[in-house]
Amino acid sequence: MAEQLAQLADDRALLGRTSTAERVSDILRSRVADGYFPPGTRLSEDSIGGALGVSRNTLREAFRLLTHERLLVHELNRGVFVRVLTVEDVEDIYRTRALVECAVVRGLGEAPYPLRGLADAVAAGGTAAAEDDWKAVGTANIHFHQELVALARSARTDELMRSVFAELRLAFHLVDDPRRLHEPYLARNGEILGALEAGERGAAEGLLERYLADSLERVVEVYRRRVSSAQSQ
């Protein structure tokens, strides 16, 4: 925890003079999504408030916002914790992803599409895999799907999926073999990108639909085993 708090203190400069609960929640959301505070971690008001230099009321409001986003949970007389997802949560996340991401691709209109962000995410995933950094591969994969959603050019959709992807990262943090989880989708991201580059919107949607169904099956299999193992200890 000391290392995480030291890194969190580095974020204090991001708050500037206009510190708000929303900006604090942005910082904490990123830190939770990146795994600095793993699922099940109790978040200390005193320690985090001191690291960021914000008032207790501001921090509590930030906690409230992130609880509303289902990233944190408040337990009576115990405090605030990073949420541990259930298998049902993971299944619901993927239902939402399929509804939104496939609809984005379906509604793209005529090519060409602005695909630079997707291409950069594919390249970042390949680089991370070559360096055997599978956590970074997972991050690149999330970025790929964020860029895919961004093709809709909808601030509301971006905001909705920002929370969904942050929740998904909570599940990833409990997986003990990230390579097995993420490696199969490196090539499949490239296939979706290739279909969009060719203007084949229908083919891209079909690839994405199968991708998400296969990913759900794999994540649920691994996640169920990991959660069961943790509960039996």
Side-chain angles (χ1 to χ4, degrees):
M1 178 63 75
E3 180 182 354
Q4 290 93 327
L5 290 173
Q7 293 172 339
L8 195 62
D10 292 339
D11 290 329
R12 184 171 178 171
L14 299 176
L15 297 175
R17 295 183 178 180
T18 57
S19 173
T20 64
E22 288 81 5
R23 295 184 71 179
V24 173
S25 67
D26 285 343
I27 289 171
L28 293 178
R29 183 189 302 105
S30 295
R31 291 299 186 176
V32 168
D34 288 342
Y36 289 95
F37 300 114
T41 301
R42 182 180 180 277
L43 300 183
S44 165
E45 287 186 3
D46 291 339
S47 298
I48 292 176
L52 290 175
V54 298
S55 70
R56 186 181 297 269
N57 286 340
T58 295
L59 187 60
R60 285 178 176 175
E61 176 62 12
F63 283 171
R64 188 192 67 79
L65 292 171
L66 295 178
T67 299
H68 181 70
E69 293 181 18
R70 303 173 61 83
L71 294 179
L72 305 181
V73 60
H74 180 267
E75 297 186 10
L76 188 63
N77 298 324
R78 295 192 65 216
V80 175
F81 295 80
V82 179
R83 192 157 167 263
V84 178
L85 302 183
T86 65
V87 171
E88 291 73 21
D89 289 326
V90 176
E91 291 171 337
D92 192 39
I93 287 168
Y94 271 88
R95 277 193 294 269
T96 303
R97 291 186 65 191
L99 285 170
V100 173
E101 293 186 51
C102 291
V104 168
V105 174
R106 192 180 314 124
L108 281 178
E110 298 301 318
Y113 312 119
L115 302 176
R116 176 64 180 272
L118 285 177
D120 288 346
V122 169
T127 298
E131 295 173 351
D132 204 30
D133 187 346
W134 297 100
K135 179 181 177 181
V137 171
T139 296
N141 187 39
I142 292 291
H143 287 168
F144 177 87
H145 290 276
Q146 288 173 326
E147 292 292 341
L148 186 69
V149 169
L151 293 176
R153 299 182 181 180
S154 164
R156 291 175 178 83
T157 305
D158 289 342
E159 183 176 358
L160 166 68
M161 295 306 291
R162 178 185 65 178
S163 297
V164 170
F165 289 133
E167 275 195 88
L168 182 63
R169 292 290 291 270
L170 294 182
F172 288 172
H173 294 319
L174 287 184
V175 173
D176 54 6
D177 188 357
R179 177 171 185 168
R180 181 171 180 269
L181 181 65
H182 298 305
E183 188 173 28
Y185 301 100
L186 287 168
R188 297 178 77 165
N189 286 345
E191 291 172 359
I192 293 170
L193 173 61
L196 291 174
E197 287 174 333
E200 297 174 355
R201 183 183 56 192
E205 183 184 354
L207 289 168
L208 178 61
E209 187 175 10
R210 290 190 294 276
Y211 175 120
L212 291 174
D214 291 345
S215 181
L216 169 60
E217 183 177 355
R218 179 178 291 268
V219 171
V220 166
E221 172 199 353
V222 174
Y223 192 73
R224 181 179 283 118
R225 185 172 62 247
R226 182 71 174 86
V227 170
S228 297
S229 174
Q231 290 174 341
S232 66
Q233 292 177 356

PDB file of all heavy atoms in Angstrom, residues 115-136:
ATOM      1  N   LEU A 115      -9.341   5.360 -38.405  1.00  0.00           N
ATOM      2  CA  LEU A 115      -8.899   4.142 -37.725  1.00  0.00           C
ATOM      3  C   LEU A 115      -7.517   4.252 -37.081  1.00  0.00           C
ATOM      4  O   LEU A 115      -6.966   3.239 -36.645  1.00  0.00           O
ATOM      5  CB  LEU A 115      -8.902   2.972 -38.719  1.00  0.00           C
ATOM      6  CG  LEU A 115     -10.250   2.677 -39.391  1.00  0.00           C
ATOM      7  CD1 LEU A 115     -10.094   1.567 -40.423  1.00  0.00           C
ATOM      8  CD2 LEU A 115     -11.300   2.297 -38.352  1.00  0.00           C
ATOM      9  N   ARG A 116      -6.974   5.447 -37.001  1.00  0.00           N
ATOM     10  CA  ARG A 116      -5.620   5.599 -36.458  1.00  0.00           C
ATOM     11  C   ARG A 116      -5.538   5.078 -35.014  1.00  0.00           C
ATOM     12  O   ARG A 116      -4.575   4.393 -34.648  1.00  0.00           O
ATOM     13  CB  ARG A 116      -5.208   7.073 -36.515  1.00  0.00           C
ATOM     14  CG  ARG A 116      -3.842   7.359 -35.875  1.00  0.00           C
ATOM     15  CD  ARG A 116      -2.719   6.660 -36.643  1.00  0.00           C
ATOM     16  NE  ARG A 116      -1.433   6.933 -36.031  1.00  0.00           N
ATOM     17  CZ  ARG A 116      -0.679   7.992 -36.335  1.00  0.00           C
ATOM     18  NH1 ARG A 116      -1.087   8.874 -37.236  1.00  0.00           N
ATOM     19  NH2 ARG A 116       0.485   8.171 -35.759  1.00  0.00           N
ATOM     20  N   GLY A 117      -6.531   5.413 -34.206  1.00  0.00           N
ATOM     21  CA  GLY A 117      -6.515   4.958 -32.817  1.00  0.00           C
ATOM     22  C   GLY A 117      -6.550   3.447 -32.709  1.00  0.00           C
ATOM     23  O   GLY A 117      -5.842   2.851 -31.876  1.00  0.00           O
ATOM     24  N   LEU A 118      -7.365   2.799 -33.543  1.00  0.00           N
ATOM     25  CA  LEU A 118      -7.421   1.332 -33.552  1.00  0.00           C
ATOM     26  C   LEU A 118      -6.082   0.742 -33.966  1.00  0.00           C
ATOM     27  O   LEU A 118      -5.600  -0.222 -33.360  1.00  0.00           O
ATOM     28  CB  LEU A 118      -8.512   0.845 -34.513  1.00  0.00           C
ATOM     29  CG  LEU A 118      -9.972   0.979 -34.074  1.00  0.00           C
ATOM     30  CD1 LEU A 118     -10.876   0.513 -35.195  1.00  0.00           C
ATOM     31  CD2 LEU A 118     -10.232   0.188 -32.816  1.00  0.00           C
ATOM     32  N   ALA A 119      -5.489   1.307 -35.007  1.00  0.00           N
ATOM     33  CA  ALA A 119      -4.200   0.804 -35.498  1.00  0.00           C
ATOM     34  C   ALA A 119      -3.113   0.959 -34.435  1.00  0.00           C
ATOM     35  O   ALA A 119      -2.283   0.058 -34.238  1.00  0.00           O
ATOM     36  CB  ALA A 119      -3.802   1.533 -36.778  1.00  0.00           C
ATOM     37  N   ASP A 120      -3.125   2.082 -33.734  1.00  0.00           N
ATOM     38  CA  ASP A 120      -2.135   2.302 -32.668  1.00  0.00           C
ATOM     39  C   ASP A 120      -2.307   1.283 -31.547  1.00  0.00           C
ATOM     40  O   ASP A 120      -1.321   0.787 -30.984  1.00  0.00           O
ATOM     41  CB  ASP A 120      -2.268   3.711 -32.099  1.00  0.00           C
ATOM     42  CG  ASP A 120      -1.758   4.785 -33.059  1.00  0.00           C
ATOM     43  OD1 ASP A 120      -1.081   4.439 -34.034  1.00  0.00           O
ATOM     44  OD2 ASP A 120      -2.063   5.979 -32.814  1.00  0.00           O
ATOM     45  N   ALA A 121      -3.557   0.960 -31.202  1.00  0.00           N
ATOM     46  CA  ALA A 121      -3.813  -0.015 -30.139  1.00  0.00           C
ATOM     47  C   ALA A 121      -3.357  -1.410 -30.546  1.00  0.00           C
ATOM     48  O   ALA A 121      -2.804  -2.161 -29.738  1.00  0.00           O
ATOM     49  CB  ALA A 121      -5.296  -0.023 -29.774  1.00  0.00           C
ATOM     50  N   VAL A 122      -3.584  -1.778 -31.798  1.00  0.00           N
ATOM     51  CA  VAL A 122      -3.116  -3.067 -32.295  1.00  0.00           C
ATOM     52  C   VAL A 122      -1.595  -3.137 -32.227  1.00  0.00           C
ATOM     53  O   VAL A 122      -1.011  -4.135 -31.789  1.00  0.00           O
ATOM     54  CB  VAL A 122      -3.613  -3.316 -33.737  1.00  0.00           C
ATOM     55  CG1 VAL A 122      -2.903  -4.521 -34.352  1.00  0.00           C
ATOM     56  CG2 VAL A 122      -5.120  -3.547 -33.748  1.00  0.00           C
ATOM     57  N   ALA A 123      -0.927  -2.060 -32.659  1.00  0.00           N
ATOM     58  CA  ALA A 123       0.540  -2.023 -32.626  1.00  0.00           C
ATOM     59  C   ALA A 123       1.052  -2.093 -31.187  1.00  0.00           C
ATOM     60  O   ALA A 123       2.027  -2.798 -30.899  1.00  0.00           O
ATOM     61  CB  ALA A 123       1.038  -0.747 -33.302  1.00  0.00           C
ATOM     62  N   ALA A 124       0.394  -1.385 -30.270  1.00  0.00           N
ATOM     63  CA  ALA A 124       0.813  -1.404 -28.866  1.00  0.00           C
ATOM     64  C   ALA A 124       0.675  -2.799 -28.277  1.00  0.00           C
ATOM     65  O   ALA A 124       1.532  -3.253 -27.508  1.00  0.00           O
ATOM     66  CB  ALA A 124      -0.008  -0.406 -28.056  1.00  0.00           C
ATOM     67  N   GLY A 125      -0.387  -3.510 -28.653  1.00  0.00           N
ATOM     68  CA  GLY A 125      -0.562  -4.877 -28.178  1.00  0.00           C
ATOM     69  C   GLY A 125       0.535  -5.792 -28.680  1.00  0.00           C
ATOM     70  O   GLY A 125       1.060  -6.628 -27.927  1.00  0.00           O
ATOM     71  N   GLY A 126       0.899  -5.640 -29.943  1.00  0.00           N
ATOM     72  CA  GLY A 126       1.971  -6.456 -30.495  1.00  0.00           C
ATOM     73  C   GLY A 126       3.304  -6.186 -29.829  1.00  0.00           C
ATOM     74  O   GLY A 126       4.066  -7.117 -29.538  1.00  0.00           O
ATOM     75  N   THR A 127       3.592  -4.929 -29.559  1.00  0.00           N
ATOM     76  CA  THR A 127       4.839  -4.562 -28.887  1.00  0.00           C
ATOM     77  C   THR A 127       4.887  -5.135 -27.476  1.00  0.00           C
ATOM     78  O   THR A 127       5.902  -5.682 -27.038  1.00  0.00           O
ATOM     79  CB  THR A 127       4.985  -3.028 -28.828  1.00  0.00           C
ATOM     80  OG1 THR A 127       5.035  -2.508 -30.161  1.00  0.00           O
ATOM     81  CG2 THR A 127       6.237  -2.629 -28.075  1.00  0.00           C
ATOM     82  N   ALA A 128       3.773  -5.016 -26.749  1.00  0.00           N
ATOM     83  CA  ALA A 128       3.715  -5.528 -25.376  1.00  0.00           C
ATOM     84  C   ALA A 128       3.885  -7.043 -25.351  1.00  0.00           C
ATOM     85  O   ALA A 128       4.565  -7.585 -24.467  1.00  0.00           O
ATOM     86  CB  ALA A 128       2.401  -5.121 -24.719  1.00  0.00           C
ATOM     87  N   ALA A 129       3.290  -7.729 -26.311  1.00  0.00           N
ATOM     88  CA  ALA A 129       3.419  -9.195 -26.367  1.00  0.00           C
ATOM     89  C   ALA A 129       4.868  -9.589 -26.639  1.00  0.00           C
ATOM     90  O   ALA A 129       5.387 -10.547 -26.044  1.00  0.00           O
ATOM     91  CB  ALA A 129       2.500  -9.758 -27.444  1.00  0.00           C
ATOM     92  N   ALA A 130       5.528  -8.856 -27.532  1.00  0.00           N
ATOM     93  CA  ALA A 130       6.929  -9.145 -27.835  1.00  0.00           C
ATOM     94  C   ALA A 130       7.814  -8.952 -26.608  1.00  0.00           C
ATOM     95  O   ALA A 130       8.839  -9.618 -26.459  1.00  0.00           O
ATOM     96  CB  ALA A 130       7.408  -8.249 -28.976  1.00  0.00           C
ATOM     97  N   GLU A 131       7.402  -8.060 -25.722  1.00  0.00           N
ATOM     98  CA  GLU A 131       8.156  -7.798 -24.489  1.00  0.00           C
ATOM     99  C   GLU A 131       7.673  -8.673 -23.337  1.00  0.00           C
ATOM    100  O   GLU A 131       8.132  -8.504 -22.199  1.00  0.00           O
ATOM    101  CB  GLU A 131       8.029  -6.319 -24.126  1.00  0.00           C
ATOM    102  CG  GLU A 131       8.668  -5.383 -25.156  1.00  0.00           C
ATOM    103  CD  GLU A 131       8.392  -3.919 -24.869  1.00  0.00           C
ATOM    104  OE1 GLU A 131       7.568  -3.636 -23.967  1.00  0.00           O
ATOM    105  OE2 GLU A 131       8.989  -3.062 -25.549  1.00  0.00           O
ATOM    106  N   ASP A 132       6.743  -9.578 -23.625  1.00  0.00           N
ATOM    107  CA  ASP A 132       6.197 -10.498 -22.623  1.00  0.00           C
ATOM    108  C   ASP A 132       5.516  -9.746 -21.477  1.00  0.00           C
ATOM    109  O   ASP A 132       5.514 -10.194 -20.335  1.00  0.00           O
ATOM    110  CB  ASP A 132       7.299 -11.411 -22.066  1.00  0.00           C
ATOM    111  CG  ASP A 132       6.737 -12.728 -21.506  1.00  0.00           C
ATOM    112  OD1 ASP A 132       5.700 -13.189 -22.008  1.00  0.00           O
ATOM    113  OD2 ASP A 132       7.330 -13.265 -20.558  1.00  0.00           O
ATOM    114  N   ASP A 133       4.918  -8.612 -21.794  1.00  0.00           N
ATOM    115  CA  ASP A 133       4.214  -7.796 -20.800  1.00  0.00           C
ATOM    116  C   ASP A 133       2.715  -7.981 -21.034  1.00  0.00           C
ATOM    117  O   ASP A 133       2.076  -7.204 -21.740  1.00  0.00           O
ATOM    118  CB  ASP A 133       4.615  -6.327 -20.948  1.00  0.00           C
ATOM    119  CG  ASP A 133       4.039  -5.449 -19.842  1.00  0.00           C
ATOM    120  OD1 ASP A 133       3.137  -5.912 -19.129  1.00  0.00           O
ATOM    121  OD2 ASP A 133       4.490  -4.297 -19.715  1.00  0.00           O
ATOM    122  N   TRP A 134       2.149  -8.995 -20.394  1.00  0.00           N
ATOM    123  CA  TRP A 134       0.761  -9.368 -20.701  1.00  0.00           C
ATOM    124  C   TRP A 134      -0.248  -8.460 -20.026  1.00  0.00           C
ATOM    125  O   TRP A 134      -1.386  -8.329 -20.489  1.00  0.00           O
ATOM    126  CB  TRP A 134       0.541 -10.836 -20.373  1.00  0.00           C
ATOM    127  CG  TRP A 134       1.425 -11.654 -21.266  1.00  0.00           C
ATOM    128  CD1 TRP A 134       2.623 -12.214 -20.961  1.00  0.00           C
ATOM    129  CD2 TRP A 134       1.215 -11.892 -22.664  1.00  0.00           C
ATOM    130  NE1 TRP A 134       3.170 -12.803 -22.080  1.00  0.00           N
ATOM    131  CE2 TRP A 134       2.331 -12.620 -23.125  1.00  0.00           C
ATOM    132  CE3 TRP A 134       0.204 -11.559 -23.559  1.00  0.00           C
ATOM    133  CZ2 TRP A 134       2.447 -13.038 -24.450  1.00  0.00           C
ATOM    134  CZ3 TRP A 134       0.317 -11.966 -24.877  1.00  0.00           C
ATOM    135  CH2 TRP A 134       1.429 -12.700 -25.309  1.00  0.00           C
ATOM    136  N   LYS A 135       0.149  -7.808 -18.967  1.00  0.00           N
ATOM    137  CA  LYS A 135      -0.721  -6.785 -18.389  1.00  0.00           C
ATOM    138  C   LYS A 135      -0.882  -5.632 -19.383  1.00  0.00           C
ATOM    139  O   LYS A 135      -1.986  -5.116 -19.579  1.00  0.00           O
ATOM    140  CB  LYS A 135      -0.146  -6.268 -17.067  1.00  0.00           C
ATOM    141  CG  LYS A 135      -0.992  -5.175 -16.431  1.00  0.00           C
ATOM    142  CD  LYS A 135      -0.378  -4.671 -15.143  1.00  0.00           C
ATOM    143  CE  LYS A 135      -1.186  -3.515 -14.551  1.00  0.00           C
ATOM    144  NZ  LYS A 135      -0.597  -2.993 -13.296  1.00  0.00           N
ATOM    145  N   ALA A 136       0.218  -5.239 -20.015  1.00  0.00           N
ATOM    146  CA  ALA A 136       0.158  -4.169 -21.015  1.00  0.00           C
ATOM    147  C   ALA A 136      -0.630  -4.613 -22.242  1.00  0.00           C
ATOM    148  O   ALA A 136      -1.288  -3.794 -22.893  1.00  0.00           O
ATOM    149  CB  ALA A 136       1.575  -3.742 -21.420  1.00  0.00           C
TER     150      ALA A 136
END
